[in-house]
Amino acid sequence: MQETIEEKDIIKWLSGFYDAEGCFRVNKQIRKKYVSYSPRALINNTDLDTMEYIISLLLNKYNINGHVRTTEPTTNRKVIRYLEIGRITKVMALCDLLIPYSIVKYDEVMLLKDFCISRYSRFVDNNIKNGKLFYNDYEIYLYHKLIEYKAHKKGRSCLSYCSMYANISNDISWQWLAGYTDGDGSFNINKAGSASYCLATSN
């Protein structure tokens, strides 16, 4: 009997795909009169059908939308479709969706969520809607912590690095692994006829 795909299975797959292909960061922009810090959750892939499915799933099922763009390569490489989510409430919603099953980027998602929670709660407390709210020390700390964590993952020297969320309760599931494989894996048959499964990742 064929198993039915449940909503939880899809989110586990999505978390695996984001762990492979996603990026969670805070953009710093130095302006003439002030410095701004903006949350960003990005994902991109050359499989346009998969990207369209993710974009549609997040929008229609969870009301999470963002900026969609496509880059046309100048070489013989494939077209890349991007989904960039920057609105604080939408980033928070995406983080909440992924956190229960995220593994590789769990720390990054948590840091980004904490940044968004701090900003959003202060917008509400101060009844400010135009975005002109100063950044407090905690938010700037989270920005630097996220940079430090990303540098550590890329193998750069980070003498002050320590894991902020050391205990990740999420376990690898087959659905998560399917998503991670869709992002960073490949299946091949070589000239000798041998089949192989390869998962190439820096994590």
Side-chain angles (χ1 to χ4, degrees), residues 48-66:
L48 303 186
D49 290 337
T50 300
M51 286 302 301
E52 285 304 314
Y53 172 77
I54 292 173
I55 293 166
S56 177
L57 172 71
L58 291 176
L59 176 60
N60 297 324
K61 186 73 176 178
Y62 302 101
N63 194 30
I64 300 173
N65 62 334

Side-chain angles (χ1 to χ4, degrees), residues 74-141:
T74 56
T75 62
N76 58 354
R77 294 185 177 184
K78 295 182 178 179
V79 173
I80 303 175
R81 180 71 48 82
Y82 292 82
L83 171 62
E84 180 175 347
I85 301 171
R87 188 174 178 181
I88 286 181
T89 54
K90 304 300 182 182
V91 174
M92 289 169 59
L94 179 66
C95 290
D96 286 337
L97 197 65
L98 301 179
I99 281 172
Y101 309 110
S102 180
I103 298 173
V104 175
K105 292 191 169 72
Y106 180 86
D107 283 37
E108 296 170 54
V109 178
M110 288 292 293
L111 287 166
L112 186 61
K113 179 185 176 181
D114 285 350
F115 177 89
C116 290
I117 289 175
S118 177
R119 293 296 294 167
Y120 182 75
S121 62
R122 294 175 62 232
F123 279 132
V124 174
D125 293 343
N126 292 276
N127 194 26
I128 295 176
K129 296 182 179 180
N130 62 5
K132 293 181 180 179
L133 179 69
F134 73 93
Y135 297 88
N136 62 20
D137 291 340
Y138 178 63
E139 291 158 0
I140 296 174
Y141 162 79

Side-chain angles (χ1 to χ4, degrees), residues 95-201:
C95 290
D96 286 337
L97 197 65
L98 301 179
I99 281 172
Y101 309 110
S102 180
I103 298 173
V104 175
K105 292 191 169 72
Y106 180 86
D107 283 37
E108 296 170 54
V109 178
M110 288 292 293
L111 287 166
L112 186 61
K113 179 185 176 181
D114 285 350
F115 177 89
C116 290
I117 289 175
S118 177
R119 293 296 294 167
Y120 182 75
S121 62
R122 294 175 62 232
F123 279 132
V124 174
D125 293 343
N126 292 276
N127 194 26
I128 295 176
K129 296 182 179 180
N130 62 5
K132 293 181 180 179
L133 179 69
F134 73 93
Y135 297 88
N136 62 20
D137 291 340
Y138 178 63
E139 291 158 0
I140 296 174
Y141 162 79
L142 289 172
Y143 162 76
H144 287 291
K145 197 68 181 177
L146 195 50
I147 288 181
E148 185 181 293
Y149 179 76
K150 285 179 172 291
H152 169 79
K153 277 181 59 180
K154 292 180 179 179
R156 299 173 190 163
S157 177
C158 294
L159 298 179
S160 61
Y161 171 79
C162 62
S163 180
M164 192 167 185
Y165 305 97
N167 299 317
I168 299 176
S169 60
N170 305 337
D171 297 322
I172 292 178
S173 64
W174 289 115
Q175 297 90 337
W176 178 92
L177 184 60
Y180 201 67
T181 298
D182 278 346
D184 280 339
S186 65
F187 298 87
N188 297 295
I189 299 177
N190 61 27
K191 291 182 180 180
S194 298
S196 67
Y197 162 69
C198 177
L199 187 61
T201 175

